[in-house]
Amino acid sequence: MTTETLVAGATTAPLSVEWDADHAVTELYREHYRPLVRLAALLVRDHATAEEVVQDAFVAMHGAWRRLRDPNKALSYLRQAVVNKARSVLRHRAVVEKHAPKAMPDAPSAEHGAMNLLEREAVITGLRKLPTRQREAIVLRYYGDLSEAQIADAMGISRGAVKSHTSRGISALRSVLEQTS
C-alpha cells in the first residue's frame, strides 16, 4: 500500500506503510529535513538550535514509529514535533534569561586604578600642606558636598570667610599639585 503526501502544494515520493522505521525515517529525512529546519529556524531564530530541534524530532519519530496509528501522517507528526520542541526551546530560553546572573560592571584597568591612587595621594598630600581653615573649607565643600551656609555653620565663621578660605585653598592646592606633576 502506498500513499502520497502533499507538502505546500507539491507532491512527494510515495511512502510505503510496510517500511521499517529506519527506511521510512531515512526517506522522510532526505525529503523534508531542510524545510523542517527552515520552519524551526523561523521559530527559534537560531539555525544551530533549529537543526537540533529537527534532529530531535526525527529521533523521537524513529522511536515512536511502531506506535504511529497512521504512518502516512508521519510528516504531520514531524511538523508537530518540531513546533513543540521549538516552543520548549523558547520557554527554556525565557527561564534562563530570567534567572541569568546580572553582569558585573566593567572594572577599570589596573593602570587606571594606579593612576587614580597616585592622583588621590597627591591631592591628600597637597591638602595636608594647606593651613587648617583652608583645608577644612575645601574638604567640607568638595568632599562633604556642603553649601557655603552649611560650611559657615560647621566652621563657626561667616559665608564670606568660607568663600575666602575656599578660594585661597584651591589656589594653594593648585600650586602644590603643579609642582608635583
Side-chain angles (χ1 to χ4, degrees):
M1 177 176 170
T2 61
T3 60
E4 289 186 2
T5 306
L6 294 177
V7 179
T11 57
T12 61
L15 180 66
S16 174
V17 176
E18 287 85 31
W19 284 355
D20 66 342
D22 292 340
H23 191 258
V25 171
T26 302
E27 193 62 29
L28 284 167
Y29 184 90
R30 186 178 58 76
E31 291 289 324
H32 302 289
Y33 176 76
R34 287 186 186 148
L36 289 171
V37 169
R38 284 193 298 269
L39 169 67
L42 288 171
L43 297 173
V44 298
R45 300 176 304 276
D46 175 19
H47 188 74
T49 305
E51 287 180 338
E52 288 179 29
V53 164
V54 173
Q55 289 292 339
D56 289 347
F58 273 103
V59 168
M61 190 185 68
H62 184 272
W65 185 257
R66 287 197 168 91
R67 291 184 309 222
L68 284 176
R69 290 188 185 138
D70 186 358
N72 294 318
K73 294 185 179 177
L75 182 58
S76 297
Y77 173 87
L78 276 172
R79 279 196 201 108
Q80 184 176 6
V82 166
V83 170
N84 289 340
K85 288 179 187 302
R87 286 180 187 153
S88 179
V89 165
L90 294 174
R91 278 192 303 272
H92 178 72
R93 278 185 192 166
V95 169
V96 168
E97 289 172 7
K98 180 179 179 183
H99 298 291
K102 295 200 171 38
M104 296 295 292
D106 290 338
S109 67
E111 294 83 12
H112 181 71
M115 291 303 293
N116 280 345
L117 185 61
L118 289 174
E119 290 172 2
R120 189 175 315 129
E121 287 177 8
V123 169
I124 291 171
T125 302
L127 281 170
R128 288 184 181 141
K129 294 179 180 178
L130 295 178
T132 305
R133 294 283 184 159
Q134 291 176 5
R135 182 174 57 247
E136 288 174 356
I138 290 174
V139 169
L140 290 172
R141 177 69 182 115
Y142 296 103
Y143 290 96
D145 202 28
L146 300 179
S147 69
E148 289 175 356
Q150 292 170 324
I151 295 170
D153 287 342
M155 292 177 65
I157 59 177
S158 69
R159 288 179 64 188
V162 170
K163 289 179 185 180
S164 176
H165 288 305
T166 304
S167 176
R168 288 182 190 149
I170 289 173
S171 181
L173 185 59
R174 185 177 295 122
S175 298
V176 170
L177 291 175
E178 287 175 354
Q179 290 173 359
T180 60
S181 299

